[in-house]
Amino acid sequence: MSALVNYENFDTEILPAFPEDSETKGALEVLEWANSQYGNKLIYACSFGIEGIVLTDLLAKVNPSAKIVFLDTDVHFEETYKLIEQVKKRYPQLSIEMKKPALTLEEQASEYGDELWLRDSNKCCNIRKIAPLTEVLSTATAWLSGLRREQSETRALTEYINQDNKFKSIKICPLIHWTWKDVWRYAHKNGLPYNVLHDNGYPSIGCKTCTAPTINADDLRSGRWQGAQKTECGLHLS
């Protein structure tokens, strides 16, 4: 194993080159490198959208007992929870943690008022997503994400290996060169389970309080936080 790449000594010049033209567009090679680098200090923060399902399948090929964390905000679609149960049955060796926020919905309402997501979605995301992931990553060296460059302008410059200033960690994104068609082609070819909401106009699926069917076929995330000047929950913004 080469010298460990961590947040403090991150240097793009010492990172390996991954084959963008391989069968998985570098994804499997990136995962093999990440697993050899970080072992049990590598965590996959998975939202269980279709990209997440594909990345989970690839990860299981490299490390069948890999650690996966789902940020369980308590306001996800029932279809998402059902999918997670399917994934657990398909990959029984994977360690899947349902990470809850420090505050229950009732406690959040008591402190900040009902339906905080309607009045201050950034505050709600911070409580129910960012703070829990910060806690999870405090025991890890690196984390995996299913970001793709094609998804949005804010993700267009994502690299395979990234210095994550928000979480003081290394963020690894194996699917950056995959297209929407690539993702679905792989899922269907391998008979992967997926969230049925994808068949009903939801290309990007988050909390049910802030996710609607897409209104723009050219922007797969246009169904998120409709009517707000917001495109990300904050997990992927430095």
Side-chain angles (χ1 to χ4, degrees), residues 58-72:
L58 291 168
L59 179 59
K61 296 179 188 299
V62 173
N63 181 3
S65 58
K67 296 181 180 180
I68 295 180
V69 172
F70 175 68
L71 301 177
D72 187 1

Side-chain angles (χ1 to χ4, degrees), residues 41-96:
K41 292 296 184 179
L42 175 68
I43 291 176
Y44 177 24
C46 183
S47 63
F48 291 96
I50 189 59
E51 290 93 349
I53 294 298
V54 167
L55 190 49
T56 293
D57 187 73
L58 291 168
L59 179 59
K61 296 179 188 299
V62 173
N63 181 3
S65 58
K67 296 181 180 180
I68 295 180
V69 172
F70 175 68
L71 301 177
D72 187 1
T73 62
D74 291 313
V75 285
H76 285 287
F77 291 95
E78 186 60 33
E79 290 86 347
T80 302
Y81 292 112
K82 288 181 179 178
L83 173 63
I84 293 173
E85 292 307 309
Q86 290 179 269
V87 172
K88 288 179 179 179
K89 291 179 181 178
R90 184 178 176 112
Y91 309 96
Q93 290 180 264
L94 289 178
S95 174
I96 300 178

Side-chain angles (χ1 to χ4, degrees), residues 7-21:
Y7 180 78
E8 288 76 16
N9 69 3
F10 186 83
D11 183 349
T12 56
E13 293 185 359
I14 65 173
L15 294 175
F18 300 104
E20 298 176 17
D21 58 351

Side-chain angles (χ1 to χ4, degrees), residues 93-147:
Q93 290 180 264
L94 289 178
S95 174
I96 300 178
E97 176 186 358
M98 307 288 281
K99 180 63 177 176
K100 297 276 193 178
L103 298 180
T104 66
L105 288 174
E106 292 74 18
E107 290 169 339
Q108 177 173 297
S110 176
E111 185 167 347
Y112 298 101
D114 289 333
E115 298 184 323
L116 178 61
W117 47 84
L118 294 179
R119 293 176 287 101
D120 190 343
S121 61
N122 289 331
K123 182 69 174 179
C124 188
C125 286
N126 186 69
I127 293 170
R128 312 205 74 75
K129 284 189 172 183
I130 296 174
L133 185 58
T134 299
E135 183 179 344
V136 167
L137 293 182
S138 68
T139 62
T141 305
W143 65 294
L144 293 167
S145 172
L147 297 188

